[in-house]
Amino acid sequence: MNNTISTKKTLNKRDKDKIFVACLVTLPLIHYLIFYVYVNINSIFLAFQRYENGAYVWKGFINFKLLWNEIGNGLLKYFIKNSLLYYVIHTGVGTTATLFFSYYIFKKRFASKLFKVILFLPSVISAISIALMYKYICDFAVPQIILKLFDKKIPALASNVNTVLPTVIFFGIWVGFGSGLLLYSGAMSNINDAVIEAAQIDGAGELRQFFSIVIPMIYPTLSVFIINGIAIIFTSDMHLYAFYGTDIKNLETSTVGYYLLRKTRSAQSYGEYNVPAAMGIALTAVSIPITFAARWLLNKFGPKVD
Amino acid sequence: MKKLVSLILAACLIVSGMSLAGCGNKGGEKIDKNKTQLYVSHFSGGFGEKWIYQMKEEFQNKYANVSFEDGKTGVQVIISPHKNTATNKNFDMTSDNAYVFFNENVPYGEFVNNNKLLDITDVVNGTFDINNVAGLESAPDFSDADKKIIDKFTDVQQTGLNKGLEQAPAYYAIPHYEGYYGLTYDAELFDKEGYYMYADGTFGAKSTSKNLSTGPDGEEGTYDDGLPNTYADFFNLCALISEKNIPMIFSGADSFYIMNVINALITDYNGYENEKLAYTFNGTSTKYVTGWNGDTPTIGEKPISNANGYDVFNQAGYYYGFDFLNKLINLQNKEYLYTDCFTESFTHTSAQSKYILSGYRTETQAIAMLAEGIWWQNEATPSFDEMAKDFPASGKEDRNFKFMPLPKATADEVGKGLTLLESQNSYIMIRSNMPEKYIPLAKLFLQFCNTTDALKKFTIYDNTPRALKYEVNADDMKDFSTFSKSIFEIKNDKNTKIIYQLSTNNLFLDNMGVFKKDKALQYGSYTAASNAMDSDENLTAKTYFEGLYNSWQNRWASEFSAYINN
């Protein structure tokens, strides 16, 4: 009798837990199925269809051909160049600087908390607001300051085609500090203090500790960031949309991701979605092998804790 | 602990779920449960919303004692203002709460094909009578003339908006406001500085002793006397203005402001019949460039159809438009332009503000002309109000701004009527899947908003015309601002024609976004001709014209193959 009662209570509790979990998961699952699975399946269909005479019809690979006609002979090389340039500088300069700042904060040096707040601030303020402020500063304030200090006239930095790229890349590095700082300093805080102390006793200086202990120990976090960056090389818009909307002056200063975003955002008729859909498929086909290859390389040749 | 966390999580979920429900305050107005609600979605962009709120008040008053459903008397019009045009990704009619929609940039053909719009043929042709609806036999009605909205449609609207047969037309929307891009000039500045042109081509103040130029219409004694006849005259005027002031200003953030003025010049040169080909792809162009005599195109004829639709871009209007743009930007190394006309942070509202403030406060140079749409004064209301605080008699109603009839490309074009390009595609529509019991009410509101009185009030309140035919006499115009009067002088000119972007050709309807003028005039890496010419001062109009035409020719067959042979 008692065994039956206790078994019945256990089942009910388990069932209740399942119901609770199901309730929690249902809405996100529906959201995922609609806004990720359905949207991407629809996008795949769109890539092989054209909107003609009021309906979508299957047209094979024509959208890929139209895409190549649009950008293959001229703009594509600029897109790839800018996308790669942004990634290399963002990783080489931005990630490196973020790692050093994170280490500085990890070591709780002078004003480390203040730096933490200042560097993280762009991440908590709306990206559009930050981009707008930055754009105004670059277009109006900086030229005025340079004129007053050095009596030299420089163009509006966010408007002149020769200065757009460096201006936007610098912005990308600056706003990228926040999320990296948070994650790297979080990963560093998980390092056992005993390991650091042991290194100090053995006479390891700050830089030695950084390269020989901290980096290997946070390498899994670092490699995720690097791989993530590689995965979005061809979809990142380099914050260009926040700066210019769809009205950038010269597409030679944009990236693959921005071009795709611009084409989609500025579409005003059903017939304008098919080529961007094809572009998405093409970019996915390129990004997947590169990302997996990068992941394999980083895992094989990256620093080991031992 | 686990239980506590679960309870907190559950509480958060419940609270967030409740916040989604809303509490009956739709559109920010408290629902009156004793009245029937009519939900209206209103695009509140540059044209303002003074008129729609006036219509709301008048409609509510007119039907205050009419019962549209059991247990309720009167109607409450709930307006939801927003800033999403009909092609904006955030605008979705079918899932909206509103019944009646006032919006712009409407892809009419696409909406009809996708069953988003209610058939309102009875409203348009005047056969809808509220007194024929059960229970509303004694509701206030309208005159037959007011009800027959179709009589206010232009010929091209009657054809272009008809989605039925010629014998059995079907209409799904009513044109709302119309807008054009062009140049606003400061008539007060022109008077003060002597920027009016005389018949002999010199400039000075208006005078009784010296004849003014005829203006682009080629007639003396009309509203455009003293304004430049041709592009050459216009640039002589710019040279004069730049000696002391700044000839022109426009937004640097959005290239479509200046590019749509160029579109206006292109449309005017090509003329009504030729420019219509860009939408119908059916007819013969009489402004087709067949060759060159130096930098002057030689003109001939060319039949246009779906198969060679790209040839519309080989019409001479495009060349002359690019030539005007090139001269404006590069003739005097941008001395004709305000310094920030190509600065990305210089928005259209900044340009408006600078324009109306120029010559006041610390500004030492006045700005003579603004490249904008005719709704700009409504949009700049906050700037006018701000200015009026510091400078009495400088508000919107006190300033003497006028809409300039655009000059003609060459002297032999002077005297040919003006062709305006309607740029807003604004319509009033009813959602097809709205609750059936409220359809008569929605249709009644449509009738109410399209009476002749309502049309005139639109112009009085929002300072811009409705896209319908309606009589506006001198007595009506006494309530219009100087700017509105100047627009109506042009619109009512017997030789003025207006191109509405309507077509029954699926090639255009399916690809409206592609043929939208600010996109259609762009090729290569620059996103606008103005950006290309700003960056490369050696780029000529002829090079850009030929490059644009070649890009359309190269892509046409592969991109529009389904429509060729149709």
Side-chain angles (χ1 to χ4, degrees):
Chain A
M1 182 78 170
N2 284 344
N3 282 346
T4 308
I5 288 169
S6 73
T7 305
K8 200 175 172 183
K9 273 186 185 168
T10 306
L11 277 171
N12 282 343
K13 187 184 180 308
R14 201 177 291 164
D15 287 343
K16 283 176 188 172
D17 284 346
K18 281 181 187 172
I19 291 166
F20 179 70
V21 168
C23 287
L24 275 181
V25 163
T26 300
L27 191 59
L29 185 64
I30 292 171
H31 188 275
Y32 169 75
L33 287 171
I34 294 172
F35 293 107
Y36 189 82
V37 174
Y38 170 73
V39 166
N40 280 298
I41 290 173
N42 189 45
S43 194
I44 292 170
F45 285 179
L46 281 175
F48 298 96
Q49 295 172 329
R50 293 287 296 167
Y51 189 75
E52 292 170 356
N53 297 304
Y56 282 110
V57 293
W58 292 95
K59 294 292 262 193
F61 289 89
I62 187 165
N63 292 312
F64 295 89
K65 183 185 166 196
L66 291 173
L67 176 65
W68 182 256
N69 289 346
E70 256 179 53
I71 63 175
N73 293 333
L75 289 171
L76 184 61
K77 64 177 185 283
Y78 291 102
F79 293 162
I80 292 174
K81 183 203 100 190
N82 295 335
S83 297
L84 289 174
L85 184 70
Y86 180 69
Y87 174 73
V88 166
I89 294 176
H90 193 263
T91 306
V93 174
T95 304
T96 307
T98 308
L99 282 168
F100 277 111
F101 272 112
S102 301
Y103 184 62
Y104 186 90
I105 290 165
F106 167 64
K107 284 291 190 175
K108 295 183 175 55
R109 294 291 180 233
F110 172 71
S112 59
K113 284 186 178 171
L114 178 66
F115 281 126
K116 200 174 182 179
V117 170
I118 291 170
L119 291 170
F120 196 65
L121 211 54
S123 300
V124 297
I125 298 172
S126 152
I128 299 289
S129 307
I130 290 273
L132 203 62
M133 280 191 286
Y134 180 81
K135 199 168 83 165
Y136 268 83
I137 290 168
C138 290
D139 274 344
F140 295 121
V142 170
Q144 279 297 314
I145 292 168
I146 299 292
L147 186 66
K148 294 252 186 280
L149 288 178
F150 305 108
D151 199 28
K152 190 180 174 189
K153 210 170 173 191
I154 63 169
L157 298 175
S159 305
N160 185 281
V161 291
N162 298 321
T163 54
V164 160
L165 261 183
T167 303
V168 173
I169 288 174
F170 180 82
F171 176 80
I173 293 170
W174 175 50
V175 296
F177 271 129
S179 51
L181 200 75
L182 200 66
L183 284 162
Y184 294 143
S185 54
M188 287 177 191
S189 64
N190 286 332
I191 297 172
N192 196 325
D193 290 339
V195 175
I196 300 293
E197 281 168 14
Q200 284 170 340
I201 289 166
D202 287 343
E206 294 288 359
L207 274 180
R208 193 70 167 130
Q209 289 173 46
F210 177 72
F211 285 108
S212 298
I213 295 171
V214 173
I215 293 294
M217 295 201 81
I218 69 164
Y219 185 72
T221 305
L222 180 60
S223 68
V224 164
F225 253 85
I226 294 172
I227 292 165
N228 187 54
I230 290 171
I232 61 169
I233 281 177
F234 297 117
T235 53
S236 170
D237 73 324
M238 211 165 64
H239 304 283
L240 287 169
Y241 188 78
F243 270 72
Y244 305 111
T246 56
D247 206 30
I248 194 168
K249 281 195 167 60
N250 189 344
L251 289 169
E252 287 178 4
T253 57
S254 71
T255 63
V256 184
Y258 175 76
Y259 186 76
L260 177 60
L261 183 60
R262 180 177 182 268
K263 269 194 90 67
T264 313
R265 291 293 299 182
S266 63
Q268 295 191 24
S269 45
Y270 286 145
E272 292 179 82
Y273 291 103
N274 303 102
V275 170
M279 191 171 181
I281 302 287
L283 291 174
T284 305
V286 169
S287 297
I288 287 178
I290 292 175
T291 305
F292 276 105
R295 182 170 169 267
W296 179 81
L297 282 167
L298 284 167
N299 285 343
K300 191 164 174 65
F301 299 108
K304 304 283 187 291
V305 172
D306 51 359
Chain B
M1 183 61 185
K2 203 172 168 181
K3 211 172 184 175
L4 182 63
V5 170
S6 306
L7 280 169
I8 291 169
L9 193 60
C12 288
L13 284 170
I14 291 165
V15 166
S16 62
M18 280 166 62
S19 70
L20 296 170
C23 300
N25 266 12
K26 292 182 184 181
E29 190 176 331
K30 198 167 161 51
I31 301 293
D32 184 342
K33 291 187 177 140
N34 297 317
K35 296 182 181 177
T36 302
Q37 278 69 48
L38 174 67
Y39 294 100
V40 173
S41 164
H42 185 264
F43 173 74
S44 296
F47 283 80
E49 49 188 26
K50 215 167 158 187
W51 173 79
I52 190 64
Y53 281 96
Q54 182 66 24
M55 291 297 104
K56 163 191 157 81
E57 292 304 318
E58 291 184 10
F59 189 75
Q60 286 173 171
N61 291 341
K62 189 175 172 103
Y63 294 96
N65 299 318
V66 176
S67 175
F68 290 92
E69 58 183 320
D70 293 337
K72 297 186 182 184
T73 305
V75 62
Q76 183 185 20
V77 179
I78 307 278
I79 295 173
S80 298
H82 62 85
K83 289 200 187 290
N84 298 317
T85 64
T87 50
N88 191 297
K89 309 297 177 287
N90 296 325
F91 179 79
D92 183 7
M93 251 180 109
T94 47
S95 61
D96 202 300
N97 288 328
Y99 308 150
V100 182
F101 292 79
F102 294 75
N103 211 327
E104 66 172 46
N105 211 20
V106 176
Y108 176 71
E110 217 171 76
F111 274 18
V112 174
N113 290 344
N114 286 282
N115 301 315
K116 292 186 180 186
L117 307 182
L118 186 76
D119 187 335
I120 53 169
T121 308
D122 53 352
V123 177
V124 171
N125 64 18
T127 57
F128 173 74
D129 190 333
I130 194 67
N131 297 141
N132 290 341
V133 177
L136 296 171
E137 291 83 357
S138 54
D141 196 7
F142 305 99
S143 67
D144 286 342
D146 265 338
K147 279 201 286 199
K148 221 173 169 201
I149 300 171
I150 191 70
D151 288 345
K152 297 169 193 159
F153 278 26
T154 63
D155 293 339
V156 73
Q157 287 169 334
Q158 287 190 27
T159 318
L161 292 175
N162 178 9
K163 286 297 178 183
L165 302 170
E166 198 176 327
Q167 311 90 325
Y171 295 100
Y172 293 81
I174 296 171
H176 188 27
Y177 49 72
E178 67 184 29
Y180 343 106
Y181 283 87
L183 296 174
T184 297
Y185 69 101
D186 186 344
E188 200 179 306
L189 183 74
F190 271 47
D191 282 328
K192 185 178 151 198
E193 300 287 347
Y195 292 149
Y196 285 107
M197 190 169 115
Y198 299 125
D200 62 3
T202 57
F203 293 90
K206 279 188 178 174
S207 159
T208 50
S209 60
K210 212 167 173 185
N211 284 345
L212 293 171
S213 67
T214 61
D217 70 357
E219 287 180 37
E220 288 178 3
T222 56
Y223 59 89
D224 65 353
D225 286 3
L227 295 175
N229 292 5
T230 64
Y231 289 4
D233 296 334
F234 182 85
F235 288 107
N236 288 339
L237 172 62
C238 286
L240 173 66
I241 295 172
S242 65
E243 285 174 9
K244 187 179 169 189
N245 293 306
I246 300 169
M248 197 187 296
I249 189 170
F250 50 81
S251 167
D254 301 301
S255 55
F256 63 77
Y257 284 96
I258 184 59
M259 283 314 301
N260 274 314
V261 173
I262 302 304
N263 274 326
L265 288 165
I266 291 169
T267 299
D268 186 47
Y269 181 86
N270 284 340
Y272 183 83
E273 293 300 330
N274 291 311
E275 189 59 22
K276 216 171 60 171
L277 296 171
Y279 306 98
T280 63
F281 299 106
N282 183 21
T284 299
S285 169
T286 57
K287 290 283 173 91
Y288 190 78
V289 175
T290 54
W292 296 89
N293 187 2
D295 281 339
T296 305
T298 50
I299 312 291
E301 290 191 0
K302 179 88 182 213
I304 303 288
S305 67
N306 281 5
N308 69 328
Y310 52 84
D311 276 326
V312 299
F313 296 101
N314 199 49
Q315 298 187 94
Y318 291 91
Y319 167 72
Y320 283 112
F322 295 140
D323 187 48
F324 183 96
L325 179 67
N326 198 25
K327 287 188 168 86
L328 185 69
I329 295 173
N330 290 320
L331 188 64
Q332 289 297 329
N333 198 27
K334 300 187 190 55
E335 275 179 19
Y336 294 163
L337 303 176
Y338 182 73
T339 42
D340 288 321
C341 283
F342 289 99
T343 300
E344 282 282 352
S345 304
F346 193 59
T347 61
H348 63 291
T349 48
S350 301
Q352 290 162 4
S353 189
K354 279 284 179 194
Y355 181 58
I356 63 177
L357 278 169
S358 70
Y360 290 79
R361 288 193 179 161
T362 58
E363 305 286 337
T364 53
Q365 283 181 302
I367 305 172
M369 292 176 277
L370 168 70
E372 251 280 10
I374 57 172
W375 54 86
W376 78 269
Q377 284 210 317
N378 278 333
E379 223 169 20
T381 300
S383 298
F384 277 113
D385 292 344
E386 191 61 38
M387 190 172 168
K389 286 180 197 168
D390 296 334
F391 302 97
S394 64
K396 193 163 53 178
E397 293 73 23
D398 303 307
R399 297 291 295 274
N400 199 7
F401 293 120
K402 290 185 178 180
F403 194 58
M404 178 187 280
L406 291 171
K408 299 296 188 185
T410 54
D412 56 330
E413 292 286 315
V414 175
K416 293 181 184 175
L418 186 61
T419 304
L420 298 170
L421 175 65
E422 199 291 307
S423 57
Q424 302 310 106
N425 288 320
S426 175
Y427 294 95
I428 310 171
M429 310 159 282
I430 297 177
R431 172 162 65 89
S432 62
N433 58 346
M434 69 165 285
E436 205 170 314
K437 69 174 178 174
Y438 299 120
I439 288 177
L441 178 58
K443 287 185 174 180
L444 186 66
F445 188 65
L446 246 66
Q447 279 186 324
F448 183 80
C449 291
N450 289 287
T451 61
T452 304
D453 183 55
L455 301 181
K456 288 181 187 176
K457 277 181 179 161
F458 183 87
T459 306
I460 292 169
Y461 287 120
D462 287 356
N463 282 298
T464 42
R466 283 286 305 270
L468 294 167
K469 293 188 298 188
Y470 55 107
E471 288 295 319
V472 171
N473 55 38
D475 202 43
D476 296 321
M477 283 174 68
K478 72 177 178 352
D479 292 322
F480 293 179
S481 67
T482 309
F483 189 66
S484 300
K485 280 181 197 163
S486 69
I487 294 169
F488 267 85
E489 280 169 343
I490 294 171
K491 183 179 156 77
N492 289 345
D493 186 318
K494 61 183 185 303
N495 296 318
T496 294
K497 289 186 174 162
I498 302 174
I499 292 264
Y500 294 97
Q501 297 183 57
L502 292 168
S503 177
T504 54
N505 189 335
N506 278 339
L507 167 57
F508 176 78
L509 294 174
D510 290 347
N511 299 283
M512 269 181 78
V514 172
F515 292 117
K516 208 160 168 10
K517 281 297 181 67
D518 54 337
K519 273 192 194 170
L521 298 191
Q522 166 234 326
Y523 77 99
S525 65
Y526 287 99
T527 54
S530 53
N531 295 333
M533 289 175 184
D534 170 47
S535 298
D536 181 1
E537 58 187 31
N538 296 319
L539 178 64
T540 65
K542 188 178 169 189
T543 304
Y544 195 87
F545 169 74
E546 289 176 335
L548 178 72
Y549 172 65
N550 289 337
S551 77
W552 274 106
Q553 189 178 32
N554 292 338
R555 68 191 268 202
W556 194 266
S558 52
E559 203 165 326
F560 305 116
S561 58
Y563 307 95
I564 297 170
N565 303 326
N566 281 4

